[in-house]
Short mmCIF file of all heavy atoms in Angstrom, two decimals:
data_model
loop_
_atom_site.label_atom_id
_atom_site.label_comp_id
_atom_site.label_asym_id
_atom_site.label_seq_id
_atom_site.Cartn_x
_atom_site.Cartn_y
_atom_site.Cartn_z
N THR A 43 -93.01 -29.27 -24.46
CA THR A 43 -92.84 -30.70 -24.61
C THR A 43 -91.72 -31.19 -23.74
O THR A 43 -91.89 -32.25 -23.05
CB THR A 43 -92.63 -31.05 -26.07
OG1 THR A 43 -91.50 -30.33 -26.62
CG2 THR A 43 -93.89 -30.82 -26.90
N GLY A 77 -106.67 -4.98 -17.16
CA GLY A 77 -108.11 -5.08 -17.38
C GLY A 77 -108.36 -4.52 -18.80
O GLY A 77 -107.73 -4.64 -19.71
N THR A 128 -94.75 5.88 -16.91
CA THR A 128 -94.67 4.69 -15.99
C THR A 128 -93.23 4.10 -16.02
O THR A 128 -92.88 3.54 -14.94
CB THR A 128 -95.81 3.67 -16.38
OG1 THR A 128 -97.02 4.28 -16.46
CG2 THR A 128 -95.85 2.57 -15.39
N LEU A 141 -82.14 -2.55 -20.29
CA LEU A 141 -83.42 -3.23 -20.32
C LEU A 141 -83.43 -4.44 -21.24
O LEU A 141 -83.86 -5.54 -20.92
CB LEU A 141 -84.50 -2.26 -20.66
CG LEU A 141 -85.92 -2.67 -20.56
CD1 LEU A 141 -86.17 -2.70 -18.92
CD2 LEU A 141 -86.78 -1.63 -21.14
N GLU A 152 -93.02 7.52 -32.39
CA GLU A 152 -93.40 8.51 -31.35
C GLU A 152 -93.77 9.80 -31.90
O GLU A 152 -93.03 10.45 -32.70
CB GLU A 152 -92.14 8.74 -30.53
CG GLU A 152 -92.36 9.81 -29.35
CD GLU A 152 -93.50 9.51 -28.46
OE1 GLU A 152 -93.44 8.39 -27.73
OE2 GLU A 152 -94.59 10.13 -28.52
N ASP A 184 -82.41 15.31 -30.65
CA ASP A 184 -80.99 15.64 -30.42
C ASP A 184 -80.51 14.85 -29.23
O ASP A 184 -79.51 14.26 -29.10
CB ASP A 184 -80.82 17.26 -30.17
CG ASP A 184 -81.84 17.83 -29.20
OD1 ASP A 184 -82.98 17.80 -29.74
OD2 ASP A 184 -81.39 18.37 -28.27
N ILE A 202 -84.41 8.07 -40.16
CA ILE A 202 -85.20 9.07 -39.47
C ILE A 202 -86.22 9.52 -40.39
O ILE A 202 -85.93 10.13 -41.48
CB ILE A 202 -84.38 10.26 -39.04
CG1 ILE A 202 -83.20 9.83 -38.24
CG2 ILE A 202 -85.12 11.35 -38.29
CD1 ILE A 202 -82.22 10.95 -37.75
N HIS A 216 -76.69 20.45 -35.49
CA HIS A 216 -75.27 20.26 -34.99
C HIS A 216 -75.28 18.96 -34.14
O HIS A 216 -74.22 18.28 -34.26
CB HIS A 216 -74.97 21.50 -34.06
CG HIS A 216 -73.78 21.33 -33.24
ND1 HIS A 216 -72.53 21.42 -33.98
CD2 HIS A 216 -73.45 21.10 -32.04
CE1 HIS A 216 -71.56 21.20 -33.09
NE2 HIS A 216 -72.16 21.13 -31.87
N VAL A 231 -77.77 5.28 -44.19
CA VAL A 231 -78.39 6.42 -43.56
C VAL A 231 -79.70 6.91 -44.40
O VAL A 231 -79.41 7.22 -45.64
CB VAL A 231 -77.46 7.62 -43.33
CG1 VAL A 231 -78.12 8.93 -42.82
CG2 VAL A 231 -76.39 7.28 -42.42
N GLY A 246 -70.35 12.84 -45.24
CA GLY A 246 -69.17 12.67 -46.23
C GLY A 246 -68.03 12.03 -45.60
O GLY A 246 -67.21 11.39 -46.41
N MET A 253 -74.94 3.63 -48.46
CA MET A 253 -76.22 4.03 -48.92
C MET A 253 -76.69 5.25 -48.29
O MET A 253 -76.75 5.32 -46.97
CB MET A 253 -77.29 2.92 -48.77
CG MET A 253 -78.72 3.19 -49.43
SD MET A 253 -79.84 1.87 -49.15
CE MET A 253 -81.24 2.58 -50.00
N ALA A 284 -66.94 5.22 -49.54
CA ALA A 284 -67.47 3.95 -49.86
C ALA A 284 -68.98 3.87 -50.44
O ALA A 284 -69.59 2.93 -50.56
CB ALA A 284 -67.58 3.17 -48.45
N ASN A 313 -75.76 3.18 -58.17
CA ASN A 313 -77.25 3.43 -58.18
C ASN A 313 -77.46 4.90 -57.75
O ASN A 313 -77.16 5.26 -56.71
CB ASN A 313 -78.00 2.55 -57.17
CG ASN A 313 -77.86 1.09 -57.61
OD1 ASN A 313 -78.27 0.59 -58.62
ND2 ASN A 313 -77.30 0.26 -56.67
N TYR A 339 -67.66 8.99 -60.49
CA TYR A 339 -68.47 7.81 -60.57
C TYR A 339 -69.09 7.52 -61.86
O TYR A 339 -69.95 6.62 -61.95
CB TYR A 339 -69.47 7.80 -59.33
CG TYR A 339 -70.41 9.01 -59.42
CD1 TYR A 339 -71.55 9.08 -60.16
CD2 TYR A 339 -70.12 10.10 -58.43
CE1 TYR A 339 -72.47 10.20 -60.03
CE2 TYR A 339 -70.95 11.19 -58.43
CZ TYR A 339 -72.20 11.28 -59.19
OH TYR A 339 -72.95 12.35 -59.19
N SER A 387 -69.63 9.12 -71.38
CA SER A 387 -69.17 8.77 -70.00
C SER A 387 -69.82 7.64 -69.38
O SER A 387 -69.11 6.89 -68.62
CB SER A 387 -69.42 10.02 -69.14
OG SER A 387 -70.95 10.19 -68.93
N SER A 388 -71.05 7.21 -69.68
CA SER A 388 -71.64 6.05 -68.95
C SER A 388 -72.43 5.21 -69.98
O SER A 388 -73.61 4.95 -69.74
CB SER A 388 -72.58 6.64 -67.96
OG SER A 388 -71.97 7.58 -67.04
N ILE A 403 -91.78 11.23 -76.03
CA ILE A 403 -91.61 9.66 -76.27
C ILE A 403 -91.79 9.48 -77.76
O ILE A 403 -92.91 9.31 -78.23
CB ILE A 403 -92.51 8.82 -75.48
CG1 ILE A 403 -92.53 9.14 -73.97
CG2 ILE A 403 -92.19 7.37 -75.62
CD1 ILE A 403 -91.31 9.11 -73.25
N ARG A 419 -80.91 -3.11 -69.54
CA ARG A 419 -81.74 -4.24 -69.05
C ARG A 419 -83.29 -3.69 -68.70
O ARG A 419 -84.19 -4.42 -68.71
CB ARG A 419 -81.29 -4.96 -67.92
CG ARG A 419 -79.95 -5.62 -68.27
CD ARG A 419 -79.25 -6.29 -66.98
NE ARG A 419 -80.06 -7.35 -66.58
CZ ARG A 419 -79.83 -8.68 -67.10
NH1 ARG A 419 -78.95 -8.90 -67.92
NH2 ARG A 419 -80.56 -9.72 -66.59
N TYR A 422 -87.58 2.66 -68.47
CA TYR A 422 -88.96 3.10 -68.00
C TYR A 422 -89.05 4.62 -68.30
O TYR A 422 -88.29 5.51 -67.89
CB TYR A 422 -89.06 2.86 -66.49
CG TYR A 422 -90.46 3.43 -65.83
CD1 TYR A 422 -91.35 2.37 -65.38
CD2 TYR A 422 -90.70 4.77 -65.73
CE1 TYR A 422 -92.64 2.83 -64.82
CE2 TYR A 422 -91.84 5.05 -65.13
CZ TYR A 422 -92.79 4.14 -64.73
OH TYR A 422 -94.01 4.55 -64.15
N ASN A 435 -97.21 11.32 -78.69
CA ASN A 435 -96.02 10.70 -78.47
C ASN A 435 -96.01 9.58 -79.55
O ASN A 435 -96.61 8.50 -79.33
CB ASN A 435 -95.86 10.09 -77.02
CG ASN A 435 -95.73 11.32 -76.06
OD1 ASN A 435 -94.69 12.04 -76.04
ND2 ASN A 435 -96.87 11.60 -75.29
N VAL A 459 -97.38 7.23 -70.77
CA VAL A 459 -97.60 8.43 -71.18
C VAL A 459 -99.02 8.85 -71.40
O VAL A 459 -99.87 7.94 -71.44
CB VAL A 459 -96.82 8.74 -72.62
CG1 VAL A 459 -95.36 8.67 -72.32
CG2 VAL A 459 -97.22 7.70 -73.59
N ASP A 516 -99.68 -9.26 -82.45
CA ASP A 516 -99.03 -10.24 -83.41
C ASP A 516 -97.68 -9.46 -83.90
O ASP A 516 -96.66 -10.19 -83.88
CB ASP A 516 -99.85 -10.43 -84.68
CG ASP A 516 -101.19 -11.35 -84.39
OD1 ASP A 516 -100.95 -11.97 -83.32
OD2 ASP A 516 -102.11 -11.26 -85.15
N CYS A 531 -105.22 1.18 -71.21
CA CYS A 531 -105.68 2.34 -71.85
C CYS A 531 -106.91 2.77 -71.33
O CYS A 531 -107.98 2.01 -71.60
CB CYS A 531 -105.69 2.03 -73.47
SG CYS A 531 -106.15 3.52 -74.48
N SER A 532 -107.03 3.93 -70.76
CA SER A 532 -108.33 4.36 -70.10
C SER A 532 -109.45 4.67 -71.24
O SER A 532 -110.57 4.55 -71.00
CB SER A 532 -108.12 5.60 -69.27
OG SER A 532 -107.56 6.68 -70.04
N TRP A 540 -101.17 -10.75 -73.20
CA TRP A 540 -100.88 -11.89 -74.11
C TRP A 540 -99.78 -12.68 -73.70
O TRP A 540 -98.68 -12.00 -73.24
CB TRP A 540 -100.80 -11.42 -75.50
CG TRP A 540 -102.01 -10.76 -76.15
CD1 TRP A 540 -102.99 -11.37 -76.75
CD2 TRP A 540 -102.37 -9.43 -76.06
NE1 TRP A 540 -103.99 -10.59 -77.20
CE2 TRP A 540 -103.64 -9.37 -76.80
CE3 TRP A 540 -101.82 -8.31 -75.62
CZ2 TRP A 540 -104.30 -8.11 -76.93
CZ3 TRP A 540 -102.45 -7.09 -75.75
CH2 TRP A 540 -103.71 -6.91 -76.50
#
Side-chain angles (χ1 to χ4, degrees):
T43 57
T128 307
L141 195 69
E152 177 56 68
D184 47 299
I202 304 176
H216 174 71
V231 173
M253 180 176 180
N313 295 299
Y339 53 86
S387 65
S388 306
I403 313 298
R419 299 173 66 87
Y422 180 108
N435 293 291
V459 293
D516 289 339
C531 182
S532 59
W540 291 274

